[in-house]
Amino acid sequence: VQLVESGGGLVQAGGSLRLSCTSSGFTFDDYRIGWFRQAPGKEREGVSCISNSGRRLDYADSVKGRFTISSDNAKKMVYLQMNSLKPEDTAVYYCAAGRRPSSGNYPCINGPYNYWGQGTQVTVSS
């Protein structure tokens, strides 16, 4: 299993970035994919997730209305469109994958997640 994030960078407050997560080595539709972030000195935080072939989308309260998660199942990729960025969004962003239940439409931010990418840095300047 391999997950590779890209798209991070430096952006001014109010700006936008689009993160991508390229996955391989597993059956994409059988897994939930989540985006997490970790700022210096802080615990890792679940940001958003997608599951059940896109029928389940969850967001942390801190990003609702600003971030949008989507997927391209054919390409096995997951995207995180981040708009109206704030300095407090500064963190290393990780994508992660975990096998989802075979039926049902359960919340996905809490996982579990078994596979993680190496992360991509997002820095929002004020």
Side-chain angles (χ1 to χ4, degrees):
V1 175
Q2 189 173 22
L3 300 165
V4 180
E5 304 93 338
S6 61
L10 173 64
V11 64
Q12 288 188 332
S16 298
L17 282 174
R18 187 196 196 205
L19 304 184
S20 299
C21 175
T22 304
S23 68
S24 61
F26 60 96
T27 303
F28 191 79
D29 287 348
D30 291 344
Y31 282 70
R32 63 173 74 85
I33 306 293
W35 283 100
F36 295 78
R37 66 187 181 186
Q38 189 164 21
K42 294 187 177 181
E43 293 188 356
R44 187 173 60 200
E45 172 190 21
V47 174
S48 183
C49 61
I50 186 167
S51 184
N52 202 11
S53 299
R55 289 187 288 274
R56 180 80 200 193
L57 308 176
D58 291 327
Y59 297 93
D61 288 343
S62 57
V63 307
K64 280 181 182 175
R66 300 188 298 123
F67 290 10
T68 303
I69 193 169
S70 62
S71 67
D72 183 330
N73 287 18
K75 295 182 179 179
K76 297 186 178 182
M77 293 188 69
V78 175
Y79 307 98
L80 186 68
Q81 178 67 42
M82 306 186 296
N83 298 330
S84 302
L85 282 163
K86 305 175 181 179
E88 51 263 43
D89 294 319
T90 295
V92 177
Y93 283 71
Y94 301 89
C95 68
R99 195 170 183 88
R100 66 175 182 86
S102 57
S103 62
N105 192 28
Y106 301 101
C108 53
I109 277 187
N110 291 329
Y113 291 90
N114 308 105
Y115 306 104
W116 295 81
Q118 82 288 352
T120 186
Q121 176 70 46
V122 171
T123 302
V124 184
S125 63
S126 57

